[in-house]
Amino acid sequence: MLAASLLLAGCSQSAGGGLEEQLPAKRPLRVLYATVEAGSEAVIPATERYQAMTGQAVEVDTFPYNSLQEKVFSEFARKSDQYDLMAVDTPWMPRILSHLEPLSAYIRSADPPIRVDDFIAKVFLDTSVFDPIQSRQQPPAMDVVDVDRVQNAGFDIWSLPIQSNVLTVSYRKDLFLDPSNRAAFRERYGRELEVPQTLDEYLDLARFFTRDTDGDGAIDLYGTTLMAGMSEANFVDFKSFLNVYGGELFDRNLSPVFNSPAGVKALETYGDWIFKNKVTPPGVTGYTWDEVEIAFGYGQTAMGMNYHDMKLNPKVHGQVGSFMFPGVEQNGTIVRGPHFGSWGLAVNRYSRQKQAAFDLAAYLTGAEAQKGYLKYRHHVTRMSAYEEARHLPDASHREYYDVLGASLRVGVGRPRIKNYNQLSEAVQTAVQSYLSGRQSAKAALDHAADTASQWMIMEGY
């Protein structure tokens, strides 16, 4: 466990950023956060600035993802007041809502007001807005977050979004701009070598760049990566392909439907890229996000899909760009559906310092703090931060934020179910079963759908 203990006392900052005199808290605010997955390298310095500015003592404990999930759930099982503020991943929300403090009243009473309308609406609604009785329900659609509309529809706000991750593509811009590559691609495909908009165009590029670059007869550059290992990575990979082909995980009655023709098409396409088209590195059936970053970073692939922008090892001389996960053209429109998931800062219902915890959450997710996160390439959640990113001095940095913001606006979040982990594991198993040749795509997905149905029944859905 990495722990950062930051201890000061004095005055505190109100939720909107104003200072107010008060007695020192009985003990420091205690924050439970993710070591890597939620951008702690940006958030912890912001917490230090908050202390220096307000005098409010804060302690931050960080844990790796799996350990953090166990810690959050065990704290709530004990109704512990040990931590006042917690970083919460979206799929945990249906199970822990009863342990969280609803935040609408805090937002309403904040002075100066909190600009919830500055959050990317899709991100805020997916991360933070839930029906406390039926967590499965989707919040009302809105282009701008409105607390009145949220509450009038029977929902409340249970966290403030701190980071949002979405599937994007990093690519070797130097290879795309190389004149010889451009000429060869034009001759082979009859069009310019450009950033792809569709999966078919992406596959053409992946085929084109899969090659022997040093003339020894062995392929040493591959077109793309996938995350086909037995992990959450392969589930959200499949989910992104499923979204693009118009499929869904569940119907309106929460019956699994990912074994539809769209699901079969998604899984077969995924497998074809590996085995038929051979545009991925050897061993990709064991890849997760970590292996993807290594393969791309060491110049093994021309393109790589991941949930953050990727860099090249200093020994690999090249230039990196970013583009959106491609889609499928339908009636002249590109249909996209990259998976996205977010982290929220939630106030522990059992905390004895709920107002102070909310004030800290409001600061850490506020417009000024998020603008400061840009230098860390943190996945900010406010529109004003993305506007600020347009003025960054580094062109690749600006490009990444442009792609990240656009991708979040068309992203597809996770289902709001209590047994999300079991759903993910069932689909992971199906993907691996198909890729290993043990079952056809249809048979593997049918089995996974049956398994998921049983879990849904056990959860009372």
Side-chain angles (χ1 to χ4, degrees), residues 8-12 21-28 54-57 353 356:
L8 288 171
C11 58
S12 76
E21 295 293 333
Q22 71 171 30
L23 294 174
K26 293 182 179 179
R27 63 169 175 77
T54 67
Q56 169 65 63
Q353 305 180 94

Side-chain angles (χ1 to χ4, degrees), residues 197-218:
Q197 301 300 312
T198 68
L199 287 179
D200 287 343
E201 292 173 355
Y202 189 96
L203 178 57
D204 284 345
L205 285 163
R207 287 195 192 106
F208 176 76
F209 282 115
T210 299
R211 60 180 68 167
D212 169 18
T213 63
D214 57 15
D216 66 358

Side-chain angles (χ1 to χ4, degrees), residues 34-303:
T35 303
V36 174
E37 293 83 358
S40 60
E41 69 280 4
V43 174
I44 288 178
T47 306
E48 294 170 339
R49 289 192 296 273
Y50 182 80
Q51 287 188 112
M53 181 172 63
T54 67
Q56 169 65 63
V58 182
E59 295 179 355
V60 181
D61 290 345
T62 72
F63 289 79
Y65 185 89
N66 289 338
S67 298
L68 177 64
Q69 183 175 7
E70 292 175 4
K71 182 69 172 173
V72 168
F73 279 66
S74 67
E75 289 293 311
F76 285 148
R78 296 187 297 112
K79 298 184 178 180
S80 168
D81 66 352
Q82 173 73 13
Y83 292 97
D84 305 290
L85 192 64
M86 297 182 177
V88 176
D89 197 10
T90 308
W92 308 347
M93 292 294 280
R95 281 203 174 276
I96 64 174
L97 278 181
S98 63
H99 302 288
L100 303 182
E101 181 77 359
L103 301 182
S104 292
Y106 293 84
I107 293 170
R108 289 180 185 282
S109 63
D111 183 23
I114 294 176
R115 289 286 310 280
V116 293
D117 60 333
D118 184 39
F119 286 103
I120 297 174
K122 179 185 278 280
V123 168
F124 192 92
L125 294 170
D126 188 79
T127 309
S128 304
V129 178
F130 286 82
D131 182 322
I133 306 302
Q134 298 186 67
S135 59
R136 57 174 283 190
Q137 298 297 326
Q138 291 293 329
M142 57 186 79
D143 295 326
V144 177
V145 179
D146 184 308
V147 177
D148 287 340
R149 289 186 61 192
V150 167
Q151 289 201 296
N152 289 341
F155 292 75
D156 212 311
I157 297 166
W158 303 91
S159 71
L160 295 177
I162 186 73
Q163 172 164 307
S164 196
N165 307 312
V166 62
L167 186 65
T168 60
V169 185
S170 296
Y171 75 104
R172 289 285 300 277
K173 184 174 282 192
D174 57 301
L175 298 180
F176 275 56
L177 296 177
D178 181 86
S180 61
N181 283 337
R182 296 183 69 81
F185 186 86
R186 188 184 308 113
E187 180 178 354
R188 181 171 172 181
Y189 290 100
R191 66 176 191 273
E192 295 300 318
L193 197 169
E194 303 288 356
V195 164
Q197 301 300 312
T198 68
L199 287 179
D200 287 343
E201 292 173 355
Y202 189 96
L203 178 57
D204 284 345
L205 285 163
R207 287 195 192 106
F208 176 76
F209 282 115
T210 299
R211 60 180 68 167
D212 169 18
T213 63
D214 57 15
D216 66 358
I219 300 297
D220 53 14
L221 177 65
Y222 290 87
T224 188
T225 57
L226 291 172
M227 294 178 277
M230 184 69 180
S231 74
E232 171 73 1
N234 101 21
F235 172 50
V236 293
D237 248 14
F238 167 76
K239 177 176 172 290
S240 295
F241 279 74
L242 175 70
N243 297 336
V244 164
Y245 286 116
E248 296 182 322
L249 293 169
F250 294 99
D251 64 16
R252 292 182 178 180
N253 298 317
L254 283 185
S255 296
V257 293
F258 53 79
N259 56 335
S260 64
V264 173
K265 170 80 169 172
L267 185 51
E268 288 180 343
T269 299
Y270 195 76
D272 283 351
W273 285 17
I274 300 171
F275 298 113
K276 180 180 177 181
N277 300 294
K278 301 183 186 300
V279 296
T280 58
V284 75
T285 54
Y287 275 24
T288 67
W289 19 73
D290 294 333
E291 289 77 17
V292 164
E293 185 165 23
I294 292 169
F296 183 82
Y298 279 90
Q300 297 175 19
T301 66
M303 301 179 289

Side-chain angles (χ1 to χ4, degrees), residues 381-403:
T381 57
R382 285 183 173 271
M383 292 183 288
S384 58
Y386 282 95
E387 184 60 34
E388 183 72 15
R390 295 178 181 273
H391 306 291
L392 291 168
D394 181 76
S396 67
H397 204 170
R398 293 195 303 271
E399 179 179 80
Y400 178 65
Y401 274 112
D402 185 53
V403 168

